Structures are given as C-alpha cells and as structure tokens.
Amino acid sequence: MARESGPDFIEALARGLDVLRSFPAGQPVRTLSDLAGATGLARPTVRRILLTLEELGYVRAAERGYALTPRVLELGMAYVNSLSMWDVARPHMERLVAQTNESTSMAQLDGSDIVYVARVAVPKIVTLAVTIGTRFPAPPTSMGKVLLAALPPDELTTVLAEPSRSGITPRWQPSRDELDRSLREVRAKGWALADQDLAPGIRSVAAPVRDGDGTVVAAVNVTVHAAETSVERLTEEHLPRLLRCAADISHDWTLLGAVPMAVTAP
C-alpha cells in the first residue's frame, strides 16, 4: 500500500506490522488471501512476511492459514512496562476490586479507539472478552468518554475522524452533536458512565488518571453486569471508590514522574 515516508523509512518493517495488525478480533486464523486483501500486498510478499514472523515466533501455521502466537503480547507489554504503568496502578486497582468485587481496567487512546493497558478481573460472564491490548471504539465506553473529553477541540475532531480498528459495532453510535453534549457532561462531572452503550449487559463508570501537570494520561473504570448492578448502585457505591483509586494512581504517577532519571556519564 502507498504511504508517505521519509528517506529513512523501512518499508519492509512497515509491511510486517501491517500483516500483524490484520488479525481482527474474532478471527484467530487468517488465510494468505485474507491477509493479502487486508494489507493490499501481493500474496508472495505476504507469504515471505509470514514465514519470517513464523521463524521469529510471532505467528504459527494453522489449519487453512496462520494464527498469532502469545509472543505478540511482548510487543504491547514492552510499551506498558516501559511506562511502569502497571506497577503504579496495580496495588490501587487490586484494592478497588477487593472493595467492589467487580473488574477494573485502565485504558489509553489510540486514534478513535481505547486500548486496555492494565486490568484486574473477577470471574464473571460478560458479553465481550477483555484482555490487555483489547481495543474498543472510544465514544460508547466510559473510559473512552473520559479520554475524549480531555482533548482540545481540534484534536478531538482529528481523533474522531480516524476509523475504529476494533472490529466492534457498538450499540450507541452518536452524532457529533450528541457526542459533544455527552462529553460536556463528562467534563462537568469529572467522570463518565456507559450504560450498555457498547454492548448489552455491560455497564461501567470511569475516571481520569492525571500526571503532575494535570494532563489526563489514562482512564480507569469499574465494569459490572447490568443484570446484577443498577446504575444507582454503580454511581453511589462504586464510583466514590473508583474516584479515590484514580486519585491515588494519579498521585503515585506524579511522584514517579518527579523522580529524576539517572544519567550515565560517557
């Protein structure tokens, strides 16, 4: 596929990443033809990329095609671990789960999607499976609303213009005016609610995580099953605990950022 690039751009690496990104949710096995069609690359090129990725351990041959291996998770975890995000958030998220007996997650924006970067789950049946690296469209999720509400108007417009890469069709697909009204409410309250906006049975509330400058760097949520937990209970009982959790993570994140990095003399 054609793309703008500078003189140092490595097209072969970009093509390899295109292939890795072409395994959508719900389709663990993709054929050579599937991947060629999704990437716009010639079949021989895709075949060479797959053979290379297989040798490196990122894909494996499967019946009628290829599938990703768990080693792909190393790529995403390198990002999470480089920020020490999980180390900062884990004790607070574990405490929140102990208090609510409900799952909690942390996400960041990637284009118009949210991507899960940390999670402490309890064993409950929900409509959509969530793991580290899962992506959902931002507008119908509580964490997405929090993250979108923190963006300047021009940046918000740019972000929303990007198509979702989640493969999910949400129940709530607001017009821009409707979304803007929802985000104004989030800014006024300081938190966001999603009541089965993404999928039936999923209800959640989210709060922002901020750095030392007050910039929203992530969002953290509590997710419940709508048949078990009412909106009133979610906002009256779980929300205050969530806000405390988000504030504690923000506090520790600020302290981490204030620690001067060691510099090694040449």
Side-chain angles (χ1 to χ4, degrees):
M1 62 179 63
R3 64 184 107 218
E4 296 182 6
S5 58
D8 297 321
F9 187 83
I10 303 175
E11 184 67 32
L13 175 59
R15 290 175 174 177
L17 293 174
D18 287 339
V19 170
L20 284 177
R21 287 194 295 262
S22 297
F23 287 81
Q27 291 184 250
V29 177
R30 297 279 270 169
T31 66
L32 187 61
S33 296
D34 290 337
L35 294 168
T39 59
L41 300 173
R43 284 169 56 96
T45 300
V46 175
R47 180 178 176 275
R48 290 196 300 272
I49 291 171
L50 288 169
L51 291 175
T52 302
L53 292 172
E54 184 177 21
E55 186 169 338
L56 294 172
Y58 291 108
V59 303
R60 60 176 176 81
E63 186 177 358
R64 299 187 300 277
Y66 288 85
L68 298 178
T69 73
R71 188 167 190 179
V72 173
L73 292 173
E74 294 176 0
L75 302 176
M77 290 309 298
Y79 167 71
V80 175
N81 292 335
S82 70
L83 298 177
S84 300
M85 184 172 296
W86 174 233
D87 290 334
V88 171
R90 177 171 52 189
H92 304 296
M93 294 175 68
E94 290 176 342
R95 187 178 307 115
L96 180 62
V97 169
Q99 293 170 344
T100 63
N101 194 34
E102 302 290 355
S103 297
T104 181
S105 304
M106 178 180 288
Q108 293 182 302
L109 270 182
D110 181 20
S112 62
D113 293 335
I114 61 166
V115 177
Y116 283 67
V117 298
R119 180 166 171 81
V120 180
V122 296
K124 293 193 176 185
I125 298 176
V126 294
T127 309
L128 297 172
V130 175
T131 59
I132 302 301
T134 292
R135 66 171 56 236
F136 292 135
T141 67
S142 59
M143 290 192 289
K145 291 174 186 177
V146 164
L147 295 168
L148 292 175
L151 297 178
D154 290 347
E155 188 175 350
L156 176 62
T157 298
T158 300
V159 164
L160 293 175
E162 296 189 33
S164 171
R165 293 189 283 116
S166 67
I168 299 293
T169 301
R171 293 183 72 195
W172 187 55
Q173 301 184 49
S175 66
R176 179 59 192 271
D177 287 344
E178 188 178 2
L179 180 60
D180 284 342
R181 287 195 298 270
S182 177
L183 297 182
R184 283 196 296 270
E185 184 178 352
V186 172
R187 295 185 195 104
K189 295 190 301 187
W191 53 272
L193 172 72
D195 186 9
Q196 305 183 79
D197 294 340
L198 181 64
I202 298 177
R203 183 173 283 156
S204 67
V205 65
V209 174
R210 301 177 184 274
D211 64 14
D213 296 326
T215 302
V216 175
V217 295
V220 62
N221 79 349
V222 171
T223 302
V224 300
H225 197 292
E228 297 178 351
T229 305
S230 66
V231 171
E232 290 73 22
R233 184 182 177 200
L234 180 60
T235 56
E236 293 174 9
E237 295 184 22
H238 297 335
L239 176 59
R241 293 167 175 150
L242 171 67
L243 292 173
R244 171 48 57 192
C245 174
D248 289 343
I249 296 173
S250 299
H251 176 265
D252 287 359
W253 188 259
T254 298
L255 291 180
L256 179 67
V259 176
M261 301 297 291
V263 177
T264 304

